[in-house]
RNA sequence: GGGGUCGUAGUGCAGUCCGGUCCAACACGCCUGCCUGUCACGCAGGAGAACGCGGGUUCAAAUCCCGUCGGCCCCGCCA
């Protein structure tokens, strides 16, 4: 059977093609067999077209069409015809026409599918991932993959126009001590030695700056062997960028233009510029998180002042210990029953705080709360003013260490917003978070570690504090946040060897170790490095948000599960003892 | 590493709290037949699950207990 030549896709024919003879190929999306007439929606990547088998047109084709089942692949020849006024389907792009079939070939058959391709049926993610190639036939996933392509193309075109070069960097590279756990690849020809897959092309892009490629970008896979989340995959794609001779504002401006272009081209959404900026410290104290969702309010208030003389010992102890009494006023307070509030209390406890206290404001300085006897009428009035509370309003209070209170109230804020469903869809609130601390203390490692990475430059006026007060030093790092998602982050880098050495020292990385791990960078920094900085974006997250999806997996053609496995291929899997032997690897399980 | 939640026909789910009424319900899909204007076609009939796996309690377990595996979500972790 010779394969015919396809003349059109299933998404392009319309009234203008009437009376044309066409050849279509595609999958049988649905079959409506009326005995006399058989209708089939033929589907390909571009869309669906209704084809009709009428014995008056071809007895043979009509006969053959009885054998067709869903997801068979067929080729059909026929004439494009108008459906007739009453038969038009306004929900289909090709809904005014149909193809009256004169000849058909069955190109391949299909077993009954493990799930329906129809957009009207729900399918569990288990089944979808195991049969991902079928899942990708479904409209929603297909559109996400097409959208992802468009995003990549827009980015490449935009950056090309701005003078950027896309340059590839190695996947088989060197393990670095800071940062995430590496995925490791053994080197057969170098027994006992290992490559690491890149967590990001960080060092290479800095080297490219030293090479003089002053505007670099790459859409590139990165790998991190850490535990996963809805928005975190073990291998993920970054839009990685670096520029020389720039300051933060040049970069911000460029990125804002890029984002506005993306959102306009993809969603026809106008994005307000410039994007607001928020200091890390303010983000933490007002939202309890470094990636606040600005689509809704419920900011965290600090109530320390109001309880400085309190007799309520849990609070006075917190204040004595330099802690925080934080509060947030919920929206839609009328929706909170005693049971709801108890559940939130449990939620707060599960995150490691003592509990949640609620205050329901009434008329005047009246209030209803387990804390009532510790609150004077005067304090009640002040509280009411601070929280801008109306009668009926509900305020949640938590106390503990400042970090914990911020974190827990931040998570509570998100939980309440989700529960109340007050987060507006189709609204895009970008935010730059700036002035991150340079260092943080790592409980697990018992030393300072970089908040961003060890190549991040400190804020100039804080450099003097590096030794005396390293915890207070701010960095020239920034994150781009969209609707509560960190979609990108970067920094202005250190471009002087001495400062880089000093940072390594403070991080407890010995000169010898620094030499061994980053020697090549330190050496490169001695050969005329330009001042430079950059940013990297989570492509999968951006596509996820543009697609309106809630999991990064819906933005990836062949994603991994939360346990970093692939149900489709069965990866990861054992390898033969011969393979291990060649690599000089012995297992110790 | 910790917490939560789910696991029942091909798919999605009900039943699980309060064990027997469940040789497990419903919808979609599938199979057979009918149907010339449907478009998530319709109508009639039919097949299909011993309830993730292992053990225990009980006269009796999808339902209770213990363990285990897997999916998803969160905390830790993710420069």
């Amino acid at each position: 059977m010779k394969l015919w030549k396809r003349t059109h896709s299933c998404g392009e024919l319309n009234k203008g093609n009437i009376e044309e003879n066409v050849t279509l190929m595609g999958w049988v999306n649905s079959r409506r067999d009326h005995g006399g007439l058989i209708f089939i929606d033929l589907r390909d990547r571009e869309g669906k077209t209704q084809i009709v088998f009428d014995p008056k047109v071809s007895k043979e084709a009509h006969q053959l069409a009885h054998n067709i089942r869903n997801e068979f692949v067929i080729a059909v020849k026929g004439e494009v015809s108008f459906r007739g006024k009453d038969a038009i389907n306004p929900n289909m792009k090709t809904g005014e026409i149909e193809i009256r079939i004169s000849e058909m070939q069955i190109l391949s058959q299909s077993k009954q599918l493990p799930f329906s391709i129809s957009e009207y049926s729900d399918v569990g993610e288990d089944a979808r991932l195991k049969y991902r190639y079928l899942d990708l036939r479904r409209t929603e996933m297909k559109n996400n993959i097409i959208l992802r392509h468009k995003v990549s193309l827009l980015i490449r075109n935009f950056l090309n126009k701005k003078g950027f070069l896309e340059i590839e960097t190695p996947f088989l590279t060197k393990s670095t001590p800071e940062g995430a756990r590496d995925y490791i690849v053994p080197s057969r020809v170098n027994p006992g030695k290992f490559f690491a897959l890149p967590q990001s092309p960080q060092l290479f892009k800095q080297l490219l700056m030293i090479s003089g490629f002053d505007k670099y970008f790459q859409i590139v896979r990165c790998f991190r062997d850490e535990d996963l989340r809805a928005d975190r995959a073990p291998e993920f794609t970054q839009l990685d960028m670096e520029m020389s001779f720039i300051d933060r504002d040049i970069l911000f401006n460029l990125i804002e233009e890029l984002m506005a272009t993306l959102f306009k081209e993809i969603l026809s959404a106008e994005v307000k510029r410039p994007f607001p900026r928020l200091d890390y410290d303010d983000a933490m104290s007002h939202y309890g998180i470094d990636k606040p969702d600005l689509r809704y309010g419920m900011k965290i208030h600090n109530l320390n002042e109001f309880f400085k003389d309190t007799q309520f010992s849990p609070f006075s102890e917190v204040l004595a210990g330099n802690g925080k009494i934080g509060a947030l006023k919920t929206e839609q307070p009328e929706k909170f029953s005693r049971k709801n509030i108890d559940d939130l209390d449990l939620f707060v406890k599960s995150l490691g705080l003592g509990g949640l206290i609620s205050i329901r404001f009434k008329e005047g300085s009246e209030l209803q709360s387990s804390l009532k006897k510790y609150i004077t009428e005067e304090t009640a009035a002040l509280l009411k003013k601070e929280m801008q509370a109306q009668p009926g309003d509900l305020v949640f209070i938590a106390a503990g260490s400042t970090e914990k209170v911020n974190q827990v109230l931040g998570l509570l804020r998100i939980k309440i917003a989700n529960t109340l469903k007050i987060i507006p869809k189709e609204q895009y609130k970008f935010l730059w978070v700036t002035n991150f601390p340079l260092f943080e203390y790592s409980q697990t490692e018992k030393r300072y570690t970089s908040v961003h990475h060890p190549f991040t430059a400190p804020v100039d006026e804080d450099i003097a504090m590096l030794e005396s007060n390293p915890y207070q030093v701010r960095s020239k790092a920034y994150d781009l946040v969209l609707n509560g998602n960190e979609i990108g982050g970067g920094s202005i880098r250190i471009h002087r060897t001495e400062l880089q050495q000093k940072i390594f020292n403070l991080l407890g990385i010995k000169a010898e170790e620094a030499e061994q791990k980053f020697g090549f960078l330190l050496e490169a920094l001695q050969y005329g490095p330009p001042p430079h900085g950059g940013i990297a974006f989570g492509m999968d997250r951006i596509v996820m948000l543009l697609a309106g999806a809630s999991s990064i997996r819906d933005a990836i053609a062949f994603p991994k599960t939360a346990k970093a496995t692939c149900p489709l291929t069965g990866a990861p899997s054992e390898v033969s003892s011969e393979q291990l032997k060649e690599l000089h690897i012995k297992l110790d399980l």
Side-chain angles (χ1 to χ4, degrees):
Chain A
M1 191 168 70
K2 193 167 177 282
L3 186 65
W4 297 334
K5 191 169 159 46
R6 179 165 77 154
T7 62
H8 295 81
S9 78
C10 294
E12 62 183 302
L13 294 170
N14 57 42
K15 267 201 312 206
N17 302 95
I18 283 170
E19 291 186 0
E20 283 180 33
N21 280 300
V22 299
T23 304
L24 300 186
M25 298 184 190
W27 284 261
V28 172
N29 193 71
S30 68
R31 186 177 72 113
R32 297 177 290 280
D33 185 345
H34 289 239
L37 281 181
I38 299 173
F39 298 94
I40 282 173
D41 291 338
L42 195 64
R43 184 195 73 237
D44 65 16
R45 202 182 83 191
E46 307 297 328
K48 291 175 203 160
T49 300
Q50 172 165 288
I51 62 179
V52 195
F53 293 90
D54 186 337
K56 277 194 281 190
V57 176
S58 164
K59 216 173 227 170
E60 294 73 30
H62 179 261
Q63 188 56 40
L64 193 53
H66 274 111
N67 302 324
I68 289 174
R69 294 294 179 272
N70 280 343
E71 300 305 312
F72 277 29
V73 182
I74 62 173
V76 291
K77 285 179 191 252
E79 186 183 318
V80 182
S81 61
F82 185 64
R83 285 195 190 187
K85 266 206 174 78
D86 299 336
I88 289 174
N89 183 346
N91 302 318
M92 271 174 103
K93 211 168 73 184
T94 59
E96 289 186 310
I97 56 100
E98 64 192 6
I99 320 295
R100 302 183 63 77
I101 301 306
S102 52
E103 257 188 287
M104 171 173 75
Q105 293 179 345
I106 296 178
L107 301 178
S108 71
Q109 308 199 340
S110 171
K111 292 205 296 184
Q112 185 188 350
L113 262 50
F115 51 80
S116 166
I117 301 301
S118 162
E119 55 260 56
Y120 299 98
S121 68
D122 275 337
V123 191
E125 205 174 1
D126 281 19
R128 288 176 50 207
L129 289 188
K130 179 155 186 207
Y131 298 96
R132 187 59 151 185
Y133 47 92
L134 298 179
D135 189 35
L136 293 175
R137 287 184 189 170
R138 308 176 87 228
T139 308
E140 187 185 342
M141 279 307 303
K142 182 195 74 180
N143 288 343
N144 289 356
I145 298 303
I146 293 171
L147 185 143
R148 186 176 178 127
H149 163 76
K150 285 184 185 158
V151 171
S152 297
L153 197 60
L154 280 164
I155 288 171
R156 287 200 164 98
N157 286 337
F158 178 91
L159 291 177
N160 177 55
K161 269 189 211 145
K162 297 287 183 185
F164 282 77
L165 297 178
E166 182 163 20
I167 304 174
E168 292 176 85
T169 53
F171 275 7
L172 296 177
T173 181
K174 197 173 161 74
S175 179
T176 51
E178 296 286 302
R181 206 174 285 117
D182 288 318
Y183 274 101
I184 302 265
V185 181
S187 169
R188 178 184 56 83
V189 293
N190 298 284
K193 297 194 174 167
F194 296 84
F195 297 105
L197 300 177
Q199 301 171 23
S200 86
Q202 182 60 38
L203 294 172
F204 287 104
K205 68 176 171 178
Q206 291 191 241
L207 294 176
L208 285 169
M209 293 303 107
I210 296 173
S211 303
F213 293 107
D214 62 325
K215 292 176 179 177
Y216 142 93
F217 85 100
Q218 187 180 189
I219 294 178
V220 62
R221 198 69 55 82
C222 300
F223 307 85
R224 294 180 189 174
D225 186 7
E226 295 292 345
D227 289 344
L228 311 174
R229 288 287 189 286
D231 63 350
R232 266 164 38 186
E235 55 175 316
F236 60 101
T237 303
Q238 279 191 349
L239 163 60
D240 191 48
M241 297 169 61
E242 196 78 5
M243 282 186 279
S244 296
F245 314 117
I246 55 144
D247 61 20
R248 202 182 66 177
D249 289 325
I250 294 172
L251 180 98
F252 279 15
N253 192 45
L254 177 85
I255 296 306
E256 291 181 11
E257 192 183 334
L258 171 62
M259 288 298 146
T261 305
L262 276 185
F263 276 72
K264 187 166 173 118
E265 295 293 326
I266 304 276
L267 297 174
S268 304
E270 292 295 333
V271 172
K272 236 181 148 179
R273 292 173 57 195
F275 298 166
R277 299 176 191 187
L278 193 62
D279 269 13
Y280 169 85
D281 284 344
D282 292 329
M284 294 310 287
S285 58
H286 296 319
Y287 300 98
I289 197 162
D290 62 359
K291 46 176 186 177
D293 191 337
L294 299 186
R295 287 174 298 172
Y296 54 93
M298 300 195 291
K299 281 201 204 180
I300 299 168
H301 293 241
N302 186 328
L303 301 186
N304 287 11
E305 259 314 286
F306 301 92
F307 292 99
K308 62 175 191 280
D309 300 319
T310 187
Q311 299 297 305
F312 185 56
S313 59
F315 280 11
S316 54
E317 281 161 21
V318 159
L319 292 177
N322 259 325
K324 175 170 176 175
I325 300 167
L328 67 82
K329 182 180 75 175
T330 183
E331 299 198 12
Q332 306 185 359
E334 68 282 0
K335 292 213 175 139
F336 286 82
S337 67
R338 179 63 194 269
K339 168 93 172 52
N340 300 146
I341 295 172
D342 286 348
D343 287 345
L344 292 182
D345 181 55
L346 286 177
F347 173 72
V348 161
K349 283 175 174 153
S350 77
L351 292 168
L353 265 192
L356 194 64
I357 293 170
S358 62
I359 295 182
R360 178 88 70 173
F361 286 92
K362 305 271 182 191
E363 293 299 330
S365 55
E366 271 290 288
L367 48 81
Q368 176 191 330
S369 171
S370 57
L371 211 57
K372 187 173 177 178
K373 64 180 167 182
Y374 296 102
I375 300 178
T376 62
E377 228 175 80
E378 189 189 0
T379 306
L382 288 171
L383 275 178
K384 199 170 180 180
K385 191 173 169 214
E386 164 71 20
M387 301 308 296
Q388 298 184 320
Q390 302 299 313
D393 271 350
L394 182 61
V395 167
F396 295 113
I397 302 178
S401 73
T402 304
E403 294 76 26
K404 200 75 196 171
V405 166
N406 285 340
Q407 184 207 6
V408 172
L409 286 181
L411 292 171
L412 183 71
R413 174 176 173 268
I414 294 168
K415 186 185 173 71
I416 290 174
N418 284 324
T419 308
L420 293 176
K421 297 188 168 63
I422 56 170
I423 305 175
K425 303 265 178 254
E426 286 164 35
Q427 208 184 79
Y428 302 96
K429 296 240 171 162
F430 284 93
L431 168 72
W432 290 109
V433 178
T434 59
N435 290 324
F436 282 79
L438 189 61
F439 302 119
E440 64 191 342
Y441 190 75
S442 164
Q443 288 298 340
T444 46
E445 299 189 46
K446 307 284 179 215
R447 65 177 180 94
Y448 287 112
T449 57
S450 296
V451 169
H452 188 53
H453 58 53
F455 319 108
T456 302
V459 166
D460 298 331
E461 56 264 40
D462 291 358
I463 291 182
M465 289 198 293
L466 268 174
E467 260 126 21
S468 58
N469 209 348
Y471 220 12
Q472 298 287 320
V473 174
R474 293 166 298 165
S475 76
K476 290 183 179 172
Y478 32 79
D479 278 354
L480 183 61
V481 174
L482 170 58
N483 292 354
N485 298 275
E486 181 199 324
I487 60 168
S491 62
I492 301 298
R493 327 295 183 189
I494 297 166
H495 70 283
R496 291 185 132 83
T497 329
E498 317 80 68
L499 184 57
Q500 188 64 69
Q501 287 279 16
K502 194 179 226 175
I503 299 291
F504 283 152
N505 285 344
L506 287 163
L507 289 170
I509 301 174
K510 301 255 163 19
E512 208 176 281
E513 191 189 355
E515 186 53 39
Q516 192 207 332
K517 304 287 186 187
F518 308 112
F520 61 99
L521 177 74
L522 292 172
E523 191 178 7
L525 287 174
Q526 295 173 30
Y527 294 107
H532 61 284
I535 191 163
F537 296 92
M539 277 286 287
D540 316 278
R541 284 185 193 169
I542 291 174
V543 173
M544 169 182 93
L545 292 167
L546 285 167
S550 51
S551 162
I552 199 174
R553 291 183 296 278
D554 287 344
I556 300 173
F558 297 101
K560 303 245 177 332
T561 66
K563 272 233 174 84
T565 65
C566 172
L568 172 58
T569 60
S573 56
E574 286 153 1
V575 297
S576 70
S577 49
E578 287 74 23
Q579 283 175 291
L580 288 177
K581 205 168 170 196
E582 266 187 336
L583 297 167
H584 306 280
I585 291 177
K586 280 197 182 116
L587 297 181
D588 176 21
L589 299 171

